[in-house]
Amino acid sequence: MSSVPTSSPPLHRLLAQCADAVQAVRDGHSLTDWLSRCPAELRPGAQALSFTVLRRLGAAQAVRAKLAPKNPPPRVDALLVTAIALLWPGETAYAEHTLVDQTVHAVRQRAANSAGFVNAVLRRFLRERDALVAQVEADPVARYNHPRWWQERLSADWPAQWQGLLDANQQRPPMTLRVNPAHGDAAAYLARLAEAGIAARPAGDLFPQALVLDEPRPVQALPGFDAGHASVQDASAQLAAPLLLGQRRPQDLAPGEDWAVLGAGARVLDACAAPGGKTAHLQELGGNALDLLALDADAKRLERVSQNLGRLSLEGSVRAADARDTAAWWDGRPFDAILLDAPCSASGIVRRHPDVRWLRRPGDIPSLAKIQAELLDALWPLLKPGGRLLYATCSVFKAEGQDQIDAFLQRHGDARSREFTRGAGHLLPLADNAAQEDAPRGAPAVTDGFYYALLQKSPSSAPL
């Protein structure tokens, strides 16, 4: 069931906006960027509908092709596909006749001559829906609502889990908070949420600051949000700061592994920092006493880093630069620790960004892997001997995870990868990959898909 605001604008306007969003994605544009330009009063409803449609886009396009083999004009086609996806079994948030009527209304305002055609197609879909759904689900793109190349790559990387990963991407993700320890622990904030009538639960012992809400809420409804008492951040993303700073529990380390906790004054680089969630988490755990530099190539996105630090009353230097071009920004002082949250396919966060699967192309993965390798090689010399670098991607593709690190270790004899019993390596967004004891039956996985590798530089490595 799609969630839409109770005081929603007319449905035909939302459908038109949703169709425009779908067409923008089909034209290769980011849904996030498009929604940022959507009229404010329409944005919540348009986003809710477009998320549903993009999760069903493969199936809806296949049905439209059967019902209307000749392609309609793009804007009419987008409205047709939008309506079919919203009429899909299990997805209807409105009475069927209302959805059909309002779609036809939207078509009349854009292409009046096509209104009768759209009405006929949608009514035929409702009459023959069960048979059409069964027919198109024989096509893997319609069955899994992911491009075929994506399915093949997942199948090669995760032969036992690939279907589960595709199905997980169709779920709506939980809203997860990170409690700021400067204002109390997670148990205290959980009590504050309960007082505010907001149901939540701990994410599990691997994520001591994380609370999962039963239902998403506007951040303004969260106690103390504007004062920095909590932030919104997926549980997987909350593993980065404690991994880099050495604040994981001893039982999470593999036998024989140990390392010092980084303390006040440690020089830390967040190399691809925007929008700043992990940057802020580093300073939260570092007691706001790290010598922290947040770097990002996108000056506009860096504004979010400064805003996040400011809301949480945290310190840190923020600079716009390409981390690979070290001559342009590095002052020659080596770092104790570096966080490299590298640009990637975002294949691990598809449930939060359902457009990603339709925007990526097969050639993007080797191109992104090349950039990741360039970043690793450029930043490694900036570490002190004995320093550590945490490589992270929000990807489930091995080319951007374990394969990337295996190749790096071959190139750099002064590096080794630290070992953990859990909470590092490839983290898959499946329900059995994190503590779920208190989760409601059928709840989505607590974690998004991520990859983490903590690389240690040899103490005897020659400095620059």
Side-chain angles (χ1 to χ4, degrees):
M1 188 75 67
S2 301
S3 58
V4 292
T6 55
S7 57
S8 177
L11 179 56
H12 65 87
R13 293 189 66 197
L14 294 178
L15 291 169
Q17 291 292 320
C18 176
D20 286 346
V22 170
Q23 189 57 42
V25 170
R26 297 204 294 190
D27 289 340
H29 303 293
S30 160
L31 177 63
T32 300
D33 290 345
W34 187 90
L35 287 171
S36 70
R37 298 189 292 273
C38 179
E41 71 276 12
L42 301 177
R43 192 176 303 138
Q47 175 174 303
L49 294 178
S50 61
F51 272 41
T52 297
V53 174
L54 290 169
R55 290 189 180 108
R56 294 288 180 192
L57 187 59
Q61 290 182 149
V63 164
R64 200 283 297 157
K66 284 188 172 294
L67 293 176
K70 184 179 179 181
N71 291 338
R75 298 185 83 192
V76 174
D77 186 34
L79 274 164
L80 255 182
V81 167
T82 291
I84 290 169
L86 295 173
L87 289 166
W88 205 260
E91 294 290 359
T92 307
Y94 301 93
E96 293 171 355
H97 71 277
T98 300
L99 190 54
V100 172
D101 175 73
Q102 290 294 290
T103 303
V104 172
H105 187 153
V107 172
R108 283 199 187 98
Q109 296 185 326
R110 297 188 162 198
N113 292 340
S114 297
F117 161 74
V118 168
N119 184 60
V121 169
L122 293 180
R123 294 191 181 280
R124 182 184 167 195
F125 174 59
L126 290 176
R127 289 196 306 271
E128 304 176 17
R129 181 164 50 187
D130 290 346
L132 287 165
V133 167
Q135 288 175 37
V136 301
E137 288 197 347
D139 171 12
V141 176
R143 161 66 180 87
Y144 292 109
N145 290 284
H146 287 72
R148 191 63 179 267
W149 71 266
W150 189 298
Q151 298 180 43
E152 291 169 352
R153 181 173 282 273
L154 273 188
S155 177
D157 284 350
W158 305 104
Q161 296 101 340
W162 70 275
Q163 292 167 307
L165 289 168
L166 293 171
D167 289 341
N169 286 344
Q170 297 299 91
Q171 298 183 7
R172 291 169 178 81
M175 182 174 176
T176 304
L177 306 182
R178 185 187 77 239
V179 177
N180 187 346
H183 299 281
D185 61 14
Y189 195 76
L190 187 63
R192 293 177 64 190
L193 289 173
E195 290 173 2
I198 300 174
R201 67 183 192 279
D205 60 6
L206 193 58
F207 318 100
Q209 293 173 259
L211 299 175
V212 182
L213 303 188
D214 284 5
E215 296 290 340
R217 297 294 183 101
V219 293
Q220 293 78 15
L222 302 175
F225 182 84
D226 289 340
H229 295 190
S231 300
V232 178
Q233 187 180 43
D234 179 72
S236 284
Q238 294 188 40
L239 293 171
L243 273 169
L244 186 64
L245 299 181
Q247 297 187 17
R248 289 288 293 274
R249 304 180 314 159
Q251 56 264 49
D252 294 333
L253 300 175
E257 290 282 6
D258 192 14
W259 79 96
V261 175
L262 291 186
R267 184 161 162 78
V268 178
L269 169 67
D270 187 350
C272 301
K278 298 181 186 69
T279 314
H281 196 194
L282 285 166
Q283 276 293 40
E284 284 180 0
L285 294 185
N288 203 24
L290 300 175
D291 180 5
L292 179 64
L293 171 61
L295 205 68
D296 202 273
D298 189 331
K300 185 169 181 58
R301 293 187 73 225
L302 266 178
E303 295 174 7
R304 288 280 305 281
V305 179
S306 297
Q307 291 166 4
N308 277 321
L309 291 173
R311 182 179 64 84
L312 295 161
S313 301
L314 297 171
E315 302 294 330
S317 299
V318 177
R319 182 166 181 178
D322 185 335
R324 293 172 292 182
D325 185 12
T326 58
W329 61 267
W330 187 45
D331 62 7
R333 294 187 297 144
F335 293 95
D336 296 288
I338 296 174
L339 170 60
L340 172 55
D341 187 4
C344 72
S345 64
S347 58
I349 55 173
V350 176
R351 59 183 185 169
R352 297 186 189 279
H353 299 278
D355 56 327
V356 164
R357 71 190 94 178
W358 308 117
L359 294 174
R360 292 289 180 221
R361 300 293 180 263
D364 292 344
I365 309 307
S367 296
L368 287 163
K370 180 176 182 291
I371 294 171
Q372 293 154 10
E374 291 170 352
L375 283 162
L376 280 164
D377 290 341
L379 295 174
W380 188 248
L382 278 55
L383 270 183
K384 291 179 180 177
R388 63 190 71 156
L389 183 151
L390 181 65
Y391 171 79
T393 59
C394 53
S395 175
V396 294
F397 295 148
K398 289 189 176 180
E400 301 180 286
Q402 193 60 57
D403 292 352
Q404 180 71 258
I405 293 305
D406 288 346
F408 174 83
L409 294 172
Q410 289 291 318
R411 296 194 302 271
H412 296 271
D414 60 346
R416 82 176 185 95
S417 181
R418 307 306 297 259
E419 299 298 323
F420 297 83
T421 59
R422 60 177 188 156
H426 279 284
L427 309 175
L428 303 181
L430 299 173
D432 59 357
N433 280 345
Q436 300 278 306
E437 294 88 351
D438 299 324
R441 181 179 295 275
V446 166
T447 57
D448 287 342
F450 256 84
Y451 177 80
Y452 286 113
L454 185 66
L455 303 170
Q456 183 96 37
K457 179 175 277 192
S458 169
S460 60
S461 179
L464 286 180

